[in-house]
Amino acid sequence: MPEQPSATASERRRTPRQTSRWDAEYGKDVWRLRELGVKDRRLARIIFEDIGQSWLKVLAKRWARWRLATGLGVISVSSGTRAIMHFGQFLEDVAPSVQGMADLNREVLERYLAHLHARFAGTVKHRRGCQIVCVRGGAPD
């Protein structure tokens, strides 16, 4: 019988209930935070259903799970997933040939930055830079 890989430290710390909660919610396009053990009066769900590209949705979910697990507030996670959704909509409209991370290049990202500047110039979102920072947070180094 082949040797099984050892569990990571985080997997060893998770209780069966915590693992099953994540297993049950992770595949869904709407995460019910209460089902994940996250209690927040301001927000009940994290929504991924409006991210049209499956590869981008997978990355958004990985990012959101990581950020929730490291203690980032649910409002910040929700804002980040919305920023990724906006990026996905931009890609659908302007760069439909992008089918994965390997297809992203400097030209596409510069076009996205110009799009954000035109759309949000002078607004609170523009000054905070959330749309840029949130999308960057999901990209590899």
Side-chain angles (χ1 to χ4, degrees):
M1 182 176 231
E3 187 177 319
Q4 295 295 321
S6 63
T8 64
S10 62
E11 289 170 335
R12 287 190 297 271
R13 286 191 300 268
R14 284 190 210 133
T15 66
R17 182 175 177 159
Q18 289 171 320
T19 301
S20 64
R21 284 178 174 178
W22 275 106
D23 290 343
E25 289 298 306
Y26 192 79
K28 297 177 181 177
D29 283 346
V30 177
W31 290 357
R32 296 168 299 173
L33 294 172
R34 183 171 292 156
E35 295 298 319
L36 297 172
V38 177
K39 295 177 179 81
D40 190 282
R41 292 183 181 159
R42 299 164 294 169
L43 192 66
R45 301 177 316 226
I46 302 290
I47 300 170
F48 302 96
E49 61 191 354
D50 295 328
I51 301 172
Q53 300 88 343
S54 59
W55 63 272
L56 192 56
K57 188 180 295 188
V58 167
L59 291 174
K61 286 181 175 185
R62 287 179 58 201
W63 175 84
R65 178 177 58 185
W66 170 64
R67 297 307 295 180
L68 287 170
T70 59
L72 186 67
V74 295
I75 299 297
S76 296
V77 173
S78 179
S79 295
T81 56
R82 280 194 314 274
I84 294 168
M85 184 247 334
H86 289 295
F87 181 60
Q89 289 173 340
F90 167 82
L91 292 176
E92 285 178 7
D93 295 342
V94 177
S97 64
V98 174
Q99 298 296 309
M101 289 292 289
D103 297 329
L104 289 175
N105 58 38
R106 183 179 184 100
E107 179 186 347
V108 171
L109 296 175
E110 286 176 352
R111 289 174 70 190
Y112 182 60
L113 291 173
H115 165 78
L116 289 177
H117 181 73
R119 182 169 179 205
F120 295 115
T123 68
V124 172
K125 283 187 180 188
H126 186 262
R127 288 189 301 275
R128 289 186 186 158
C130 178
Q131 299 291 320
I132 298 167
V133 172
C134 291
V135 169
R136 169 60 185 104
D141 290 331

